[in-house]
Amino acid sequence: MSEFNMNQKQQKHFVLVHGLCVGAWCWYKLKPQLESIGHKVTTLDLAACGTNTQKIEDVHTFADYSKPLLELLASLDPNEKVVLVGHSFGGMSIALAMEKFPEKIAVGIFIAAFIPDTLHQPSYVLQQYIERYPVSGWLDTEFSFDESKMNVLVGINFLSTKFFQLCSREDLELMKILRRRGSLFIEDLLEVENLSRERYESVPGAYIIANKDLAIPEDYQKWMIQNAGIDVVKVINEADHMAMLSKPQELCLSLVEIANKHVI
């Protein structure tokens, strides 16, 4: 038996939440690595993402978008706690989950992700990002509007130069084939209540910086870390925005190191 194999007590349950315009498929390198060292891993498609059959035009609120994650956590055994991992815009979904189900989450880990605070509305970190990096600079990205929000289809040139610049050509091709129209739901997030110190901040949080990220630049990641008061921070060198594809082994190690500090 390998020295890396773990007994049931040591096994952790990682729930991996993807970002904008992608789906559960983006974890295809990381998931087997975590499983090979004895951990349980769940990946899921949020509403209108990946293989989920909904269209983004029919998803009107951020809570509806995050519903697959909330339903998963609600279905867990009462005594089970998960390591909840959010990438990019997935950070907003795991923050909502930390607010709704703090008792189900051992630690929330944000990977090159938006991370809201409790002093401002959840939309604040998205609004600050757009002020610093206007959507006019999103190259060939397509924007459209439905009755409730602005939708976005991330452009191929934007993806290849800002998201996947250190990934393999094959990974970029996968994204070209599987990308879907999404939304940042800023309109809805402007209307929702702040996350609470009693629930959201009661869950330990950690952040993993991708230091070659050109989509959410390192400086902005560090600003969000300070703004949210996160103390546990790791850096993955030479990782672009899609760290799970460009540096999966390093990301796996960082996730396990963080998870091992939190009893499940």
Side-chain angles (χ1 to χ4, degrees):
M1 182 177 293
S2 168
E3 62 179 317
F4 293 107
N5 286 347
M6 302 175 183
N7 61 35
Q8 190 64 31
K9 185 177 181 180
Q10 294 171 312
Q11 182 194 63
K12 297 174 175 61
H13 183 184
F14 289 84
V15 176
L16 309 180
V17 182
H18 63 79
L20 183 70
C21 296
V22 292
W25 64 266
C26 74
W27 304 107
Y28 82 94
K29 292 180 180 178
L30 181 65
K31 183 174 185 285
Q33 288 199 23
L34 287 168
E35 290 173 336
S36 72
I37 54 174
H39 296 299
K40 179 180 179 181
V41 182
T42 298
T43 60
L44 50 86
D45 289 315
L46 298 175
C49 298
T51 59
N52 183 284
T53 56
Q54 288 181 279
K55 294 182 178 180
I56 196 64
E57 291 81 6
D58 299 324
V59 181
H60 300 296
T61 68
F62 181 69
D64 286 341
Y65 170 77
S66 302
K67 189 175 180 181
L69 172 61
L70 302 180
E71 289 180 338
L72 170 69
L73 294 175
S75 73
L76 292 175
D77 183 280
N79 297 319
E80 182 177 7
K81 285 193 172 187
V82 302
V83 177
L84 189 56
V85 179
H87 172 250
S88 191
F89 188 57
M92 300 299 293
S93 291
I94 73 166
L96 175 62
M98 291 160 70
E99 175 74 21
K100 298 285 188 184
F101 299 99
E103 72 285 354
K104 300 287 186 79
I105 303 163
V107 58
I109 306 177
F110 296 77
I111 306 169
F114 292 108
I115 178 169
D117 61 73
T118 57
L119 295 178
H120 306 88
Q121 290 175 299
S123 60
Y124 177 69
V125 290
L126 301 172
Q127 292 171 288
Q128 291 295 307
Y129 174 78
I130 290 173
E131 282 188 21
R132 298 190 193 195
Y133 312 102
V135 295
S136 60
W138 289 22
L139 303 178
D140 54 338
T141 297
E142 299 175 14
F143 299 94
S144 60
F145 295 85
D146 60 38
E147 59 187 32
S148 61
K149 64 191 183 307
M150 181 178 74
N151 300 320
V152 54
L153 180 64
V154 182
I156 300 300
N157 290 339
F158 190 49
L159 286 168
S160 62
T161 58
K162 303 290 187 179
F163 282 66
F164 286 74
Q165 81 273 11
L166 299 177
C167 292
S168 70
R169 291 179 62 184
E170 291 84 355
D171 289 335
L172 179 60
E173 284 302 316
L174 266 181
M175 182 60 179
K176 290 179 182 179
I177 295 167
L178 298 174
R179 68 182 174 138
R180 293 191 60 182
R181 194 174 301 275
S183 176
L184 295 176
F185 293 93
I186 291 178
E187 298 84 354
D188 179 61
L189 291 170
L190 279 167
E191 305 296 327
V192 301
E193 294 182 357
N194 292 18
L195 300 170
S196 69
R197 295 185 65 182
E198 296 76 17
R199 297 179 67 83
Y200 170 59
E201 284 193 350
S202 72
V203 181
Y207 201 101
I208 298 176
I209 294 172
N211 80 335
K212 297 297 184 182
D213 191 341
L214 299 179
I216 304 179
E218 182 180 10
D219 285 349
Y220 195 73
Q221 293 178 57
K222 289 180 176 177
W223 176 83
M224 288 191 290
I225 290 166
Q226 183 177 25
N227 180 64
I230 297 297
D231 295 322
V232 179
V233 180
K234 289 188 175 293
V235 178
I236 300 183
N237 293 318
E238 302 304 315
D240 60 16
H241 187 61
M242 304 301 291
M244 72 287 284
L245 299 176
S246 59
K247 291 290 181 179
Q249 292 178 321
E250 292 83 354
L251 179 56
C252 180
L253 178 62
S254 293
L255 290 173
V256 171
E257 286 179 350
I258 293 169
N260 281 342
K261 295 180 180 179
H262 298 274
V263 178
I264 300 197

